[in-house]
């Protein structure tokens, strides 16, 4: 489970066979584990030389202020981008063919949803992508390791794909088939971007310039086929303008996140310098013992 602020670092590791999650135990990770999963917090706080940190406190404080300032600018840009995204959705929403979507989902369900479950299904909420200091990161490995069949929904604006995925979810719930629902990192409250159905090894992936499909999908579906053609043609320039504004805001946010990461890493050098190596090794051995024995 990578850190969204710095994806090359891990925040947690999930061990399904052992039914354990090992998580960074800092003050930001006040998390609870799913039912029947043991959550192990790693706390390295007592390995720190606090006298050393106290001597460096003015510099560390200034670096944190700079980091927080850049991070806040990134947050505001992303919020503005999400507002534009909602405006696109509102304009788009009433101008596609629901009957075509229903027929498409019916064909998909008849071909791939070949059995109904006798037990109640489960929906698990997750993220497949994130806006980070190194760009928009997509965990394609998750998609390809769990799916033999991938249906790509090519949708530059995400509205048709979201509606298709909602209709598919309704069908999965009716058939009591469990699935993983992957939320949009920009507007998680309102948009589903991808679905993975592990038991069927089947995935639905929304493809656009922010998170394009890589490789050759089993099937590629273009959103335009479900749109009212005349409206789409008439509104194309408006959509392009809004999409360009959204893209620029996200680009600015990425730049501010990069700046925040630089201040964060400089600050982190002081934390690393304060660690007592012998205490770190002792903690590592204790954690390994707790996990595997």
């Amino acid at each position: 489970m990578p850190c969204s602020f710095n994806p090359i670092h891990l925040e947690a590791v999930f061990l399904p066979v052992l039914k354990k999650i090992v998580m960074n135990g800092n003050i930001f990770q006040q998390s609870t584990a799913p039912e029947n999963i043991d959550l192990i917090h790693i706390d390295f706080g007592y390995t720190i030389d606090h006298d050393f940190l106290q001597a460096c406190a003015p510099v560390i404080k200034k670096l944190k202020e700079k980091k927080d300032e850049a991070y806040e600018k990134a947050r505001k840009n992303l919020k503005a981008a999400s507002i534009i995204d909602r405006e696109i959705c509102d304009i788009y929403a009433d101008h596609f063919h629901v009957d075509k979507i229903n027929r498409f989902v019916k064909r998909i369900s008849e071909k791939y949803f070949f059995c109904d479950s006798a037990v109640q299904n489960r929906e698990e909420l997750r993220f497949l992508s994130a806006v980070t200091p190194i760009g928009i990161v997509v965990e394609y490995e998750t998609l390809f390791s769990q799916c033999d069949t991938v249906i790509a929904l090519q949708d530059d604006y995400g509205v048709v794909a979201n509606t298709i995925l909602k209709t598919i979810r309704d069908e999965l719930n009716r058939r009591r088939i469990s699935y993983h629902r992957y939320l949009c990192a920009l507007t998680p409250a309102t948009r589903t971007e991808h679905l993975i159905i592990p038991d069927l090894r089947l995935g639905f992936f929304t493809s656009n310039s922010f998170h394009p499909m890589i490789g050759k999908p089993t099937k590629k579906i273009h959103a335009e086929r479900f749109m009212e053609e005349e409206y789409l043609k008439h509104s194309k320039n408006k959509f392009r303008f809004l999409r360009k504004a959204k893209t620029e805001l996200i680009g600015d946010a990425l730049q501010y996140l990069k700046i925040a990461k630089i201040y964060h890493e400089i600050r982190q050098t002081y934390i690393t310098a304060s660690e007592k190596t012998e205490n770190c090794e002792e903690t590592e051995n204790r954690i390994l013992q707790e996990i595997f024995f």
Side-chain angles (χ1 to χ4, degrees):
M1 298 179 183
C3 170
S4 62
F5 186 66
N6 192 0
I8 65 171
H9 293 158
L10 297 180
E11 285 291 356
V13 176
F14 178 36
L15 307 169
V17 175
L18 299 179
K19 295 186 176 180
K20 293 180 180 180
I21 295 176
V22 187
M23 177 171 277
N24 183 354
N26 63 44
I27 59 171
F28 301 107
Q29 305 295 344
Q30 301 301 321
S31 306
T32 56
E35 190 177 350
N36 300 323
I37 299 293
D38 184 19
L39 182 61
I40 301 172
H41 281 288
I42 304 178
D43 181 12
F44 284 100
Y46 77 95
T47 69
I48 299 296
D49 182 344
H50 293 282
D51 291 336
F52 173 82
L53 286 185
Q54 187 63 36
C56 301
V59 178
I60 293 173
K61 181 182 177 183
K62 190 66 177 178
L63 288 167
K64 183 180 183 303
E65 288 173 354
K66 290 289 186 181
K67 184 200 82 169
D68 291 347
E69 182 183 326
Y71 188 80
E72 179 62 16
K73 288 179 180 178
R75 189 193 67 79
K76 287 180 177 178
N77 274 271
L78 290 175
K79 184 178 180 180
S82 69
I83 291 170
I84 291 177
D85 189 71
R86 284 197 295 272
E87 185 177 346
I88 292 172
C89 291
D90 290 342
I91 296 169
Y92 219 152
D94 297 326
H95 296 280
F96 50 83
H97 301 289
V98 177
D99 55 331
K100 281 188 178 182
I101 290 176
N102 290 336
R103 288 198 299 270
F104 168 71
V105 172
K106 184 179 180 183
R107 289 195 301 272
I108 289 292
S109 62
E110 288 172 351
K111 184 173 182 178
Y112 296 106
F113 305 164
F114 45 81
C115 63
D116 295 358
S117 173
V119 297
Q120 184 58 48
N121 66 313
R122 180 176 177 178
E123 177 188 81
E124 294 187 16
L125 302 181
R126 300 182 179 186
F127 287 96
L128 199 66
S129 60
V131 181
T132 79
I134 62 173
I136 296 176
V137 173
V138 185
E139 293 295 330
Y140 290 105
E141 185 181 344
T142 299
L143 177 72
F144 294 122
S145 66
Q146 297 190 47
C147 301
D148 298 324
T149 302
V150 177
I151 298 174
L153 305 173
Q154 183 63 44
D155 188 354
D156 289 339
Y157 306 107
V159 184
V160 171
N162 186 48
T163 304
I164 290 173
L165 294 176
K166 182 183 182 306
T167 310
I168 290 172
R169 284 168 51 213
D170 291 341
E171 183 65 16
L172 291 171
N173 290 331
R174 188 182 72 79
R175 292 174 179 260
R176 296 184 176 183
I177 299 173
S178 295
Y179 57 91
H180 300 163
R181 177 157 71 100
Y182 292 87
L183 307 177
C184 171
L186 194 63
T187 53
T190 58
R191 180 175 297 175
T192 302
E193 284 196 327
H194 322 289
L195 288 177
I196 290 179
I197 308 157
D199 291 343
L200 303 180
R201 304 227 14 115
L202 172 64
F204 297 88
F205 183 89
T206 299
S207 176
N208 54 42
S209 60
F210 297 110
H211 37 78
M213 182 71 204
I214 61 172
K216 189 175 180 181
T218 309
K219 186 186 287 288
K220 191 172 186 177
I221 307 298
H222 291 273
E224 286 88 347
R225 64 186 270 192
F226 302 101
M227 287 291 298
E228 293 177 5
E229 191 174 346
E230 284 302 314
Y231 179 79
L232 186 63
K233 196 181 298 183
H234 175 72
S235 305
K236 215 159 196 174
N237 289 337
K238 186 174 185 179
F239 284 140
R240 282 177 178 168
F241 172 79
L242 290 171
R243 191 163 179 272
K244 183 180 179 183
K246 173 185 165 183
T247 302
E248 288 180 356
L249 285 166
I250 291 175
D252 289 344
L254 291 173
Q255 292 303 314
Y256 285 123
L257 285 174
K258 287 179 183 178
I259 293 169
K261 183 174 180 288
I262 290 169
Y263 284 119
H264 173 77
E265 289 180 344
I266 296 172
R267 180 173 176 265
Q268 196 63 32
T269 60
Y270 289 89
I271 309 297
T272 302
S274 72
E275 291 176 353
K276 300 174 183 176
T277 307
E278 64 278 9
N279 288 348
C280 290
E281 291 174 355
E282 178 188 330
T283 300
E284 287 170 5
N285 292 332
R286 178 176 56 79
I287 291 297
L288 290 173
Q289 192 76 18
E290 188 175 350
I291 294 171
F292 296 106
F293 300 100

